[in-house]
């Protein structure tokens, strides 16, 4: 009898073993609970400071998660077929995992981000830092969280400057009828119309060809972008007027973020903050005295190829114009009506909070 029962027992036992094996194989083992690749949207190419910040973020995340999280930067808005303003929408949906993105491009989903595009509102690094570290920054991050976006850290593109092919820009009259390529965000159209220019909306991906072919007479972007695209090939004149700030935000799809274990969240957050600090310093180097050059040298062992952006532009025969207080006031006056339309869209309270945050610095 015993001999007869043995095969039955053996069969049951092997069936159990089989189930156990299936269970074991289907349960997530370390490394399996994460995606093979997390896609990071980047608007510009890898040679830009912004692009270098993206690479740094990916590298630090790999390091701090012991290789468990692999981020792949997709440069030139390739995940969006160039449509940079769709970034936040697609990260919110989870089609794209994460982004290191300009607040200008995020503004299509988070109107509060237009705060940074109010002309001649924030024009020093101190003011900008006071905002991003203060209540203003927290409120912008809260607005993102309400839209399925998990903000992790601030980065920077820089204060935007204007370049052109025809003549120096010193007064609003110098912009009359000038075809200026602007990003497709509506506040930019308003600003340039008030300045008497002829703004042309264009994705960054199409902009270089437009400069090459002379389809536009000018454009506006921060110093780091001007160097990366070698703007002197197309434009001879640049005016440093710090007319608006362009911070970046590193952010993640919120639903996906919430599924990460705490230690992974912490590691990614640390990586984002560190990459943001590095990237900000790249964009500010040579524009804030020695501060950013020293941060790069001492904290990141990084030496700048172009430690003085203005000097590099001059070396390439560009005429670099800076404006007096009176000259700036004329541009300020011409763009004042933009506030009437845009402050309500941004939120009156947020604009007031920003003013308070900036006053803190003046009192220090
Ligand atoms: O399109 C631009 O000008 C750029 C690259 O600066 C932004 O993404 C806002």
């Amino acid at each position: 009898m015993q001999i007869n029962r043995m095969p039955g027992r053996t069969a049951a036992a092997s069936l159990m073993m089989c189930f156990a094996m299936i269970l074991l194989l289907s349960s997530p083992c370390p490394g399996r609970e994460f995606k093979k690749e997390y896609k990071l949207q980047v608007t510009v190419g890898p040679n830009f400071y912004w692009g270098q910040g993206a690479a740094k973020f990916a590298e630090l995340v790999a390091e701090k998660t012991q290789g468990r999280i692999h981020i792949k930067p997709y440069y030139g808005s390739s995940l969006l077929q160039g449509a940079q303003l769709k970034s936040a929408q697609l990260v919110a949906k989870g089609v794209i995992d994460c982004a290191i993105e300009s607040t200008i491009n995020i503004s299509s989903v988070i109107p509060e981000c237009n705060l940074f595009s109010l002309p001649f509102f924030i024009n020093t690094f101190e003011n900008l830092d006071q905002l991003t570290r203060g209540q203003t920054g927290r409120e912008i991050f809260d607005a993102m969280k309400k839209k399925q976006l998990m903000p992790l850290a601030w980065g920077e593109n820089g204060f935007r400057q204007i370049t052109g092919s025809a003549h120096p820009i010193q007064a609003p009259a110098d912009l009359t009828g000038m075809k200026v390529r602007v990003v497709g965000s509506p506040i930019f159209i308003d600003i340039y119309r008030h300045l008497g220019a002829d703004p042309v909306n264009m994705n960054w991906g199409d902009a270089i060809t437009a400069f090459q072919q002379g389809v536009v007479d000018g454009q506006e972007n921060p110093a780091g972008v001007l160097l990366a695209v070698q703007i002197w090939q197309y434009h001879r004149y640049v005016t440093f007027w710090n007319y608006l700030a362009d911070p970046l935000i590193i952010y993640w799809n919120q639903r996906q973020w919430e599924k990460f274990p705490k230690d992974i969240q912490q590691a990614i957050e640390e990586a984002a903050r560190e990459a943001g600090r590095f990237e900000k310093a790249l964009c500010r180097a040579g524009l804030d005295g020695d501060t950013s050059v020293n941060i790069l040298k001492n904290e990141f062992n990084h030496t700048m190829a172009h430690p003085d952006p203005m000097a590099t532009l001059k070396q390439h025969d560009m005429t670099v114009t800076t404006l007096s207080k009176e000259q700036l006031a004329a541009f300020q006056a011409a763009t004042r009506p933009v506030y009437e339309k845009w402050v309500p869209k941004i939120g009156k309270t947020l604009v007031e909070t920003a003013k308070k945050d900036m006053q803190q610095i003046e009192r220090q």
Side-chain angles (χ1 to χ4, degrees):
M1 282 295 281
Q2 270 205 334
I3 293 164
N4 280 346
R5 250 191 263 142
M6 277 302 284
R9 269 193 195 163
T10 315
S14 35
L15 205 65
M16 292 278 280
M17 278 285 283
C18 211
F19 277 135
M21 284 295 284
I22 290 169
L23 261 173
L24 202 74
L25 285 174
S26 57
S27 71
C29 56
R32 280 262 177 84
E33 56 196 297
F34 305 121
K35 287 196 198 179
K36 242 173 82 190
E37 169 189 301
Y38 290 90
K39 292 180 168 43
L40 175 74
Q41 138 68 13
V42 196
T43 308
V44 294
N47 61 322
F48 292 62
Y49 294 145
W50 178 350
Q52 291 171 37
K56 188 71 162 182
F57 178 48
E59 176 197 312
L60 288 171
V61 167
E63 190 187 301
K64 288 178 194 288
T65 62
Q66 292 82 39
R68 284 178 293 168
I69 303 294
H70 170 62
I71 290 179
K72 184 171 173 199
Y74 284 80
Y75 295 102
S77 293
S78 56
L79 295 170
L80 306 165
Q81 272 121 26
Q84 62 200 76
L85 285 138
K86 290 225 167 110
S87 165
Q89 190 190 332
L90 293 191
V91 174
K93 279 192 180 152
V95 177
I96 297 171
D97 303 300
C98 50
I100 174 166
E101 192 59 89
S102 159
T103 36
I104 298 172
N105 298 330
I106 300 173
S107 72
S108 54
V109 173
I110 309 293
E112 288 86 347
C113 281
N114 284 301
L115 176 86
F116 302 103
S117 301
L118 281 176
F120 306 100
F121 183 58
I122 309 155
N123 40 30
T124 64
F125 291 124
E126 290 77 12
N127 277 339
L128 179 58
D129 289 343
Q130 204 72 16
L131 292 188
T132 54
R133 288 187 198 137
Q135 183 59 20
T136 311
R138 283 189 288 278
E139 283 181 23
I140 290 172
F141 276 16
D142 285 347
M144 290 179 76
K145 287 178 198 160
K146 285 185 195 137
K147 296 274 174 77
Q148 295 300 324
L149 302 169
M150 181 61 202
L152 304 178
W154 295 92
E156 196 146 295
N157 193 14
F159 282 104
R160 297 178 76 93
Q161 322 294 358
I162 187 157
T163 68
S165 52
H167 47 253
I169 295 156
Q170 292 169 312
D174 297 323
L175 285 166
T176 309
M178 184 171 154
K179 269 200 155 82
V180 184
R181 176 270 165 182
V182 291
V183 58
S185 170
I187 191 169
F188 282 82
I189 294 284
D190 287 343
I191 296 170
Y192 284 88
R193 290 225 173 109
H194 283 293
L195 288 169
D198 180 8
V200 186
N201 261 180
M202 207 178 283
N203 279 326
W204 179 244
D206 302 319
I208 310 284
T209 321
F211 306 156
Q212 265 164 1
Q213 296 177 347
V215 174
V216 290
D217 316 308
Q219 65 85 47
E220 49 77 58
N221 252 295
V225 172
L226 305 184
L227 297 183
V229 298
Q230 306 190 330
I231 200 73
W232 49 85
Q233 293 184 68
Y234 322 109
H235 299 157
R236 263 205 61 192
Y237 303 95
V238 56
T239 297
F240 273 74
W241 60 350
N242 285 11
Y243 85 122
L244 53 89
D246 183 6
L248 309 182
I249 299 174
I250 302 176
Y251 63 97
W252 210 283
N253 169 272
Q254 203 173 42
R255 277 182 305 275
Q256 202 181 74
W257 179 261
E258 280 161 6
K259 282 189 216 139
F260 281 140
K262 279 274 165 303
D263 62 326
I264 291 290
Q265 287 182 346
Q266 208 178 329
I268 299 176
E269 255 174 325
E270 263 174 36
R273 276 198 296 269
E274 217 171 299
R277 182 164 170 85
F278 171 72
E279 195 270 342
K280 231 188 266 180
L282 291 177
C283 291
R284 292 185 184 187
L287 299 169
D288 64 351
D290 291 341
T291 310
S292 288
V293 170
N294 285 337
I295 290 177
L296 292 166
K297 220 189 294 165
N298 303 335
E299 294 176 31
F300 297 96
N301 194 22
H302 182 95
T303 312
M304 291 297 288
H306 302 286
D308 183 347
M310 279 205 202
T312 306
L313 297 171
K314 283 182 195 159
Q315 273 156 22
H316 288 94
D317 288 334
M318 286 193 84
T319 303
V320 178
T321 303
T322 50
L323 302 178
S324 67
K325 260 194 169 162
E326 293 72 30
Q327 285 172 321
L328 271 171
F331 284 105
Q332 248 164 338
T335 51
R336 200 63 215 171
V338 172
Y339 285 61
E340 277 148 45
K341 177 167 170 191
W342 282 90
V343 169
K345 288 182 198 275
I346 294 162
K348 241 183 158 164
T349 330
L350 184 66
V351 176
E352 287 311 312
T353 305
K355 283 185 193 161
K356 269 190 216 134
D357 277 345
M358 290 194 283
Q359 273 160 14
Q360 306 265 332
I361 198 90
E362 277 149 28
R363 277 199 230 111
Q364 269 169 22

